[in-house]
Amino acid sequence: MTFPDLLSNLLSLPLMWGVALFSIIVHEGAHLIVARLCGMKVSEVHVCSGPRWSWQWGSTSVKIGLAPSSVGHIMIPALNSAKHWQQALIYLAGPLAQTAIITPLCLSLYMTAPPFLGYTAAAYAIHYIVVNVNSALSSGQDLYEFGRCVWRAIR
């Protein structure tokens, strides 16, 4: 590996780390926004792991870690007592927002990668699009719960 290739790899990693962290924040944030729009109280939002920032936002405890590990959760105490269509919207909000926002972001990174980043950033962007869409659309828990809510509503 030549020095420019090494430099390109090193400069691309923080960029893709930022995209990964942003992706998880978008996913969990969409659940939060839809839950609040449905009139539900959200007690906790936790994004990523490792050293983190935490603060209170109204009655919601927000924790954002620095290690994007595809770990995030949101606590909605009254979720089980909500109407089925509200539950379905809340579960579907994360994967849809993640796919709708992060995929165009990664495509634009791919198409406009600065020359000093070279093909490394472009390769990371394309890889992340595939990983992002796959994780968003096949995220087992969200889509399983969405299907369960729809099934209970039509039974």
Side-chain angles (χ1 to χ4, degrees):
M1 177 178 280
T2 64
F3 180 72
D5 291 338
L6 178 64
L7 187 61
S8 174
N9 283 335
L10 291 176
L11 291 174
S12 297
L13 286 175
L15 178 68
M16 289 299 111
W17 171 83
V19 170
L21 182 63
F22 183 64
S23 170
I24 298 167
I25 290 171
V26 165
H27 182 103
E28 298 304 328
H31 290 308
L32 169 75
I33 290 168
V34 172
R36 288 229 170 145
L37 287 174
C38 288
M40 291 184 217
K41 203 173 192 180
V42 178
S43 62
E44 181 179 318
V45 176
H46 184 195
V47 175
C48 298
S49 57
R52 66 180 141 237
W53 293 291
S54 15
W55 66 91
Q56 280 294 119
W57 180 41
S59 63
T60 304
S61 169
V62 179
K63 299 173 186 172
I64 298 182
L66 296 176
S69 58
S70 297
V71 175
H73 71 270
I74 182 168
M75 298 293 292
I76 307 169
L79 184 61
N80 289 333
S81 61
K83 295 180 172 102
H84 297 305
W85 66 268
Q86 290 175 324
Q87 291 177 13
L89 281 178
I90 291 168
Y91 285 120
L92 201 56
L96 285 180
Q98 186 178 3
T99 302
I101 293 172
I102 302 303
T103 300
L105 173 69
C106 287
L107 276 174
S108 67
L109 282 174
Y110 171 72
M111 291 187 222
T112 62
F116 67 89
L117 291 179
Y119 292 107
T120 306
Y124 279 136
I126 289 298
H127 171 76
Y128 196 73
I129 289 171
V130 172
V131 169
N132 176 60
V133 170
N134 183 45
S135 72
L137 295 180
S138 67
S139 63
Q141 186 65 27
D142 287 340
L143 295 183
Y144 168 77
E145 293 295 340
F146 170 74
R148 213 166 56 106
C149 294
V150 171
W151 176 251
R152 281 187 300 190
I154 61 174
R155 275 196 311 163

